[in-house]
Amino acid sequence: FSGHVTHDSGKTLARYVRCVRRGPTDVAVPRLTRTEPVGGYPVVADVVTGLVWQGCPADLTGASCAYGTIAVRTWQAALDWCEDSTWAGFSDWYLPNVGELRSIVDDGRSSAPYIDSTAFPATPGNYFWSSSSHAGDVSGAWGGAFLDGAVHRYGKTGTLYVRCARRGP
């Protein structure tokens, strides 16, 4: 088992299956809530995971993330950027682990980007860094894509997009 989450396994291939059942949900409470505690610096609260996300990818600001130029960073620079961030007046941001990053992938969408674009506008479909190093090769870390929902290993000296998280509220 490599840890990859991918979409390229055909439906005719035999695979192991684990069934799950969702409990009742309160439809009156939305899963993701976008607010702007500081003008131009939106955050998105996730009631399922308890995480709060930066509402824009790194280097974009504004209510709809229309200001700035989106940037990519190496893995270490992504870790540092999140740790040093004071987005929306908070100083406890961190680069999410691969499970946390994967939690905001919206597998119910029929086209990219596979993320709630109302909660997370201006999110490119490409890969974002996670803080999770690859267990078999520490020169690599996991990145998650909103292009197809896949998770892959990338060399830490490569560059990917960044979005930080913090524990809510």
Side-chain angles (χ1 to χ4, degrees), residues 54 58 72-85 91-98 129-133 138 140-142 156 158 160-165:
Q54 290 179 340
V72 292
R73 290 175 168 74
T74 65
W75 183 76
Q76 185 61 55
L79 287 169
D80 294 343
W81 193 85
C82 288
E83 185 175 305
D84 295 341
S85 180
S91 60
D92 56 347
W93 297 103
Y94 64 90
L95 190 63
N97 68 43
V98 68
W129 280 120
S130 83
S131 63
S132 303
S133 292
V138 294
W142 294 103
K156 291 179 178 178
L160 301 178
Y161 293 107
V162 179
R163 174 173 270 124
C164 308

Side-chain angles (χ1 to χ4, degrees), residues 135-152:
D137 177 8
V138 294
S139 69
W142 294 103
F146 299 105
L147 175 66
D148 56 12
V151 174
H152 290 285

Side-chain angles (χ1 to χ4, degrees), residues 33-137:
T33 304
R34 185 178 178 88
T35 60
E36 204 170 324
V38 173
Y41 296 89
V43 297
V44 178
D46 184 339
V47 298
V48 172
T49 64
L51 294 174
V52 176
W53 295 87
Q54 290 179 340
C56 299
D59 300 316
L60 295 181
T61 61
S64 62
C65 306
Y67 300 103
T69 303
I70 193 168
V72 292
R73 290 175 168 74
T74 65
W75 183 76
Q76 185 61 55
L79 287 169
D80 294 343
W81 193 85
C82 288
E83 185 175 305
D84 295 341
S85 180
T86 57
W87 185 271
F90 299 102
S91 60
D92 56 347
W93 297 103
Y94 64 90
L95 190 63
N97 68 43
V98 68
E100 291 169 333
L101 182 61
R102 183 77 178 79
S103 76
I104 58 172
V105 170
D106 185 348
D107 292 316
R109 292 208 172 288
S110 59
S111 63
Y114 288 90
I115 190 168
D116 183 329
S117 57
T118 300
F120 298 103
T123 300
N126 293 351
Y127 281 84
F128 282 71
W129 280 120
S130 83
S131 63
S132 303
S133 292
H134 188 275
D137 177 8

